[in-house]
């Protein structure tokens, strides 16, 4: 719903105020966002699945366990610069538009990923090898700081209100697909080349694939148009709307952290539970299966690939159902499920039975789907258009710092304690965060983004949304009237109390 400042007379909301989304533009927007996100997670997937190889190539003098921790540590360190990228790209996205920023982030991501494949081994250039690897990962971390949040906003601002959950779910569909592509390519290369040639040069091939993927993603994003919500914001400013100019992008982060504190905390909580589970399942577990449980790399990766393929089918279903029953139930189900089922799942994973391992991973995967299926449609709805990118990118990447440490901390804890259930306890702690967040999360399904007018798929749907908007306004008016009545009663009681006190004093009137 649009907000009307107190200094400007309100006008009735009409049918023309509801944006009817062009279907062809919508498809371009979703495809461009999802493909770029797939490329981002293609790299993360590849890195997680070849961590054992990178440890041997870039940290050859360390023990196998330390090699793995060092390689995963290089994966985690870039998360420290993601908030900087979030602030930078968030401000740019709120000032210059979502489409331009997303084109820039995918360029940086593609180049830095491609360059990882060019880095010589430690045996060739010594200490410069891990340093260059870290620099490339830092560049990736900076670009990713604005990637996911920008893509989520891009899809959310394009999506009709009644389909935002389904359309937003395709963003993380792209993430999972990127993991599948990365893992599948690693398995194929290991099978064809053998371990020796894969360690020699085969590990570089997946990173080179980022080049053409980046060009394709850049083409699609450049072809997509700016979102209707941001376009309307610009039009209001260009027309000289004093209030729109007053609320132009440029809001201080101090204001964001004070005025929108609740939304920021909800975002941080939801990102933590979702991404800790994400990195535990899709980045750390391949290493856990091989380093801690003794399975061959190919065997562990193959099981997880099958699980991820199953996740691809569940992901849009969760998004679709969330448009019917809401987002909150899925956050609640995912969090409660993790708390009670993480330990049994890891006990099944720890057996020598392939079927039990698959079942344990499947339980975690379905619970992860409950979280990822609603995240992209929920988070953008927490903030208004003028600060949406800045606020979401900042809070998202603050949480990502902690979530991104998951593979490294889990590997270190398992190595230090020799307790193979540490990852389960880790997920249970994350589940408590998600459970707490679910109680404070406002329901956003089938409602306009905060501060925006409704989006519809057709003129007929726009009429229905307009009627629902009127009903929502009537409900808000009734709530305001009730608050006014309650305040009037409190004021009258205070007046009576004052008069009683005055009556007891000879010189007060």
């Amino acid at each position: 719903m649009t907000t009307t400042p107190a200094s400007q007379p309100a006008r009735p909301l009409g049918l023309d105020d509801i944006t009817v989304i062009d279907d062809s533009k919508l498809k371009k927007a979703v495809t461009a966002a999802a493909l770029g996100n797939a490329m981002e997670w293609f790299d993360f997937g590849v890195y997680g699945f070849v961590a054992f190889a990178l440890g041997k190539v870039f940290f050859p003098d360390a023990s196998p366990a330390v090699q793995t921790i060092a390689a995963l540590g290089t994966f985690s360190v870039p998360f420290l610069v993601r908030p900087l990228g979030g602030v930078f790209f968030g401000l740019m996205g709120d000032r210059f538009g979502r489409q331009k920023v997303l084109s820039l982030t995918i360029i940086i991501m593609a180049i830095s990923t491609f360059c990882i494949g060019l880095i010589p081994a430690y045996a060739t250039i010594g200490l410069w090898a891990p340093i260059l690897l870290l620099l490339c990962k830092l560049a990736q971390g900076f670009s990713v700081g604005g990637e996911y949040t920008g893509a989520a906003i891009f899809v959310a601002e394009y999506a009709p209100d009644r389909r935002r959950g389904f359309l937003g779910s395709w963003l993380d569909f792209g993430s999972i697909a990127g993991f599948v592509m990365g893992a599948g390519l690693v398995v194929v290369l290991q099978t064809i080349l053998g371990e020796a040639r894969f360690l020699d040069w085969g590990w570089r091939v997946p990173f080179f694939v980022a080049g053409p993927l980046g060009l394709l993603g850049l083409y699609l994003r450049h072809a997509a148009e700016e979102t209707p919500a941001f376009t309307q914001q610009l039009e209001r400013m260009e027309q000289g709307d004093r209030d729109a100019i007053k609320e132009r992008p440029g809001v201080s982060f101090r204001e964001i952290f004070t005025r929108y504190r609740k939304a920021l905390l909800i975002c941080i909580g939801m990102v933590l539970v979702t991404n800790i589970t994400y990195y535990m399942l899709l980045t750390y577990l391949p290493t856990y299966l091989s380093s801690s449980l003794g399975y061959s790399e190919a065997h562990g990766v193959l099981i997880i690939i099958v699980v991820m393929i199953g996740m691809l089918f569940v992901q849009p279903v969760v998004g679709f159902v969330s448009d019917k029953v809401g987002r909150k139930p899925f956050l609640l189900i995912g969090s409660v499920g993790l708390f009670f089922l993480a330990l049994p799942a890891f006990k099944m994973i720890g057996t020598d039975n392939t079927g039990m391992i698959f079942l344990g991973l499947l339980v975690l995967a379905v619970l992860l789907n409950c979280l990822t299926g609603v995240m992209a449609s929920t988070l953008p709805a927490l903030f208004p258009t003028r600060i949406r990118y800045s606020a979401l990118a900042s809070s998202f990447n603050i949480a990502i710092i902690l979530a991104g440490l998951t593979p490294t901390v889990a590997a270190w804890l398992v190595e230090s304690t020799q307790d193979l259930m540490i990852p389960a306890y880790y997920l249970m702690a994350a589940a408590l965060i998600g459970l707490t967040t679910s109680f404070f999360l406002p329901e956003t399904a089938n409602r306009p983004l905060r501060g925006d007018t409704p989006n519809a798929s057709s003129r007929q749907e726009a009429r229905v949304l307009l009627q629902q908007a009127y009903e929502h306004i009537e409900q808000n008016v009734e709530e305001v009237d009730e608050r006014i009545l309650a305040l009037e009663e409190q004021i009258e009681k205070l007046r009576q109390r004052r008069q009683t006190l005055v009556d007891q004093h000879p010189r007060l009137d």
Side-chain angles (χ1 to χ4, degrees):
M1 300 301 297
T2 52
T3 56
T4 304
S7 60
Q8 182 180 356
R11 63 177 182 82
L13 185 68
L15 194 60
D16 291 337
D17 293 313
I18 297 179
T19 304
V20 178
I21 304 297
D22 182 87
D23 195 53
S24 61
K25 293 180 181 179
L26 177 61
K27 290 178 180 178
K28 285 183 180 179
V30 174
T31 303
L35 183 62
N37 211 46
M39 184 199 151
E40 171 193 341
W41 292 96
F42 172 85
D43 166 68
F44 286 163
V46 166
Y47 200 94
F49 285 110
V50 301
F52 75 96
L54 295 178
K56 295 177 182 178
V57 172
F58 292 103
F59 309 97
D61 296 333
S63 67
V66 174
Q67 285 178 352
T68 299
I69 294 173
L72 291 174
T74 309
F75 170 87
S76 296
V77 167
F79 285 86
L80 299 177
V81 302
R82 283 185 65 158
L84 297 178
V87 170
F88 177 77
F89 291 116
L91 291 173
M92 287 187 64
D94 281 336
R95 186 172 293 274
F96 302 111
R98 290 65 161 116
Q99 186 261 355
K100 293 182 178 64
V101 170
L102 286 176
S103 297
L104 179 59
T105 58
I106 201 170
I107 291 174
I108 299 174
M109 188 72 184
I111 293 175
S112 55
T113 303
F114 187 85
C115 286
I116 291 178
L118 298 175
I119 301 174
Y122 184 93
T124 304
I125 60 173
L127 188 60
W128 279 106
I131 291 176
L132 290 175
L133 175 63
L134 181 60
L135 289 175
C136 287
K137 295 300 294 180
L138 288 173
Q140 286 180 342
F142 187 76
S143 67
V144 171
E147 169 61 38
Y148 180 86
T149 51
I153 290 170
F154 197 68
V155 173
E157 291 184 346
Y158 251 112
D161 296 340
R162 290 186 165 188
R163 299 173 60 200
R164 187 169 292 117
F166 175 68
L167 294 171
S169 68
W170 289 98
L171 192 61
D172 282 288
F173 180 95
S175 303
I176 301 167
F179 262 100
V180 171
M181 289 169 56
L185 184 57
V186 169
V187 170
V188 170
L189 289 172
Q190 286 178 329
T191 303
I192 295 176
L193 300 177
E195 183 175 356
R197 281 188 293 179
F198 184 80
L199 288 174
D200 186 29
W201 58 269
W203 65 269
R204 301 179 185 274
V205 175
F207 295 103
F208 290 148
V209 174
L213 278 179
L215 291 175
L216 178 59
L218 178 61
Y219 169 77
L220 290 173
R221 289 188 172 179
H222 185 71
E225 297 183 13
E226 188 53 77
T227 68
F230 187 80
T231 301
Q232 290 171 7
Q233 177 78 7
L234 289 180
E235 288 175 352
R236 288 196 297 271
M237 288 191 289
E238 291 171 357
Q239 291 169 359
D241 185 332
R242 292 184 179 180
D243 292 293
I245 293 174
K246 183 179 179 181
E247 294 186 350
R248 69 189 183 280
V251 65
S252 68
F253 281 98
R254 180 179 180 181
E255 179 184 348
I256 293 176
F257 287 117
T258 53
R259 187 174 178 182
Y260 301 99
R261 183 183 292 111
K262 180 180 177 181
L264 289 171
L265 292 175
I266 289 172
C267 178
I268 289 172
M270 191 167 183
V271 172
L272 279 175
V273 64
T274 302
N275 283 276
I276 286 175
T277 309
Y278 215 133
Y279 292 128
M280 186 70 76
L281 178 61
L282 302 184
T283 300
Y284 173 64
L285 273 186
T287 303
Y288 176 80
L289 289 172
S290 58
S291 299
S292 300
L293 300 183
Y295 297 103
S296 67
E297 285 84 2
H299 181 66
V301 168
L302 187 60
I303 295 176
I304 292 182
I305 288 177
V306 174
V307 171
M308 286 192 292
I309 293 174
M311 289 180 66
L312 290 175
F313 292 96
V314 177
Q315 180 72 14
V317 174
V318 171
F320 179 81
V321 176
S322 76
D323 284 328
K324 310 300 179 184
V325 303
R327 324 287 191 224
K328 290 187 65 169
F330 282 100
L331 177 57
L332 189 61
I333 292 170
S335 300
V336 172
L338 276 177
F339 186 80
F340 288 104
L341 298 179
L343 197 57
F346 269 89
K347 288 186 179 297
M348 288 188 282
I349 292 171
T351 66
D352 290 328
N353 187 303
T354 301
M356 294 296 289
I357 296 172
F358 177 80
L359 183 59
L361 292 172
L362 186 62
V363 168
L364 296 177
V366 171
L367 294 174
L368 177 57
N369 272 132
C370 290
L371 303 173
T372 59
V374 299
M375 188 166 71
S377 57
T378 301
L379 299 185
L382 298 174
F383 305 99
T385 303
R386 68 187 180 93
I387 62 157
R388 185 169 291 139
Y389 209 147
S390 302
L392 182 53
S394 301
S395 53
F396 186 96
N397 288 293
I398 288 172
I400 281 293
I401 293 178
L402 297 176
L405 295 173
T406 298
T408 307
V409 173
W412 176 76
L413 287 174
V414 170
E415 178 67 19
S416 302
T417 65
Q418 296 298 307
D419 186 350
L420 297 180
M421 292 298 107
I422 286 292
Y425 305 143
Y426 207 106
L427 290 179
M428 291 171 70
L432 292 177
I433 297 174
L435 185 61
T436 304
T437 303
S438 66
F439 290 121
F440 295 96
L441 176 69
E443 185 53 72
T444 61
N446 298 307
R447 298 175 185 175
L449 297 177
R450 184 171 180 175
D452 290 356
T453 54
N455 285 354
S457 300
S458 64
R459 196 73 171 175
Q460 181 179 1
E461 184 178 291
R463 293 189 181 92
V464 176
L465 290 179
L466 182 61
Q467 183 58 41
Q468 290 179 346
Y470 289 155
E471 293 173 357
H472 184 65
I473 292 173
E474 292 169 2
Q475 181 181 354
N476 285 341
V477 169
E478 290 177 0
E479 292 176 356
V480 171
D481 287 341
E482 291 176 358
R483 292 176 64 185
I484 291 174
L485 182 60
L487 288 173
E488 289 177 345
E489 292 176 352
Q490 291 181 13
I491 292 172
E492 181 60 31
K493 290 180 180 179
L494 289 173
R495 284 174 176 167
Q496 292 175 2
R497 181 183 177 189
R498 179 185 182 278
Q499 188 60 47
T500 300
L501 294 172
V502 168
D503 292 341
Q504 297 174 4
H505 197 289
R507 291 187 296 275
L508 287 180
D509 184 7

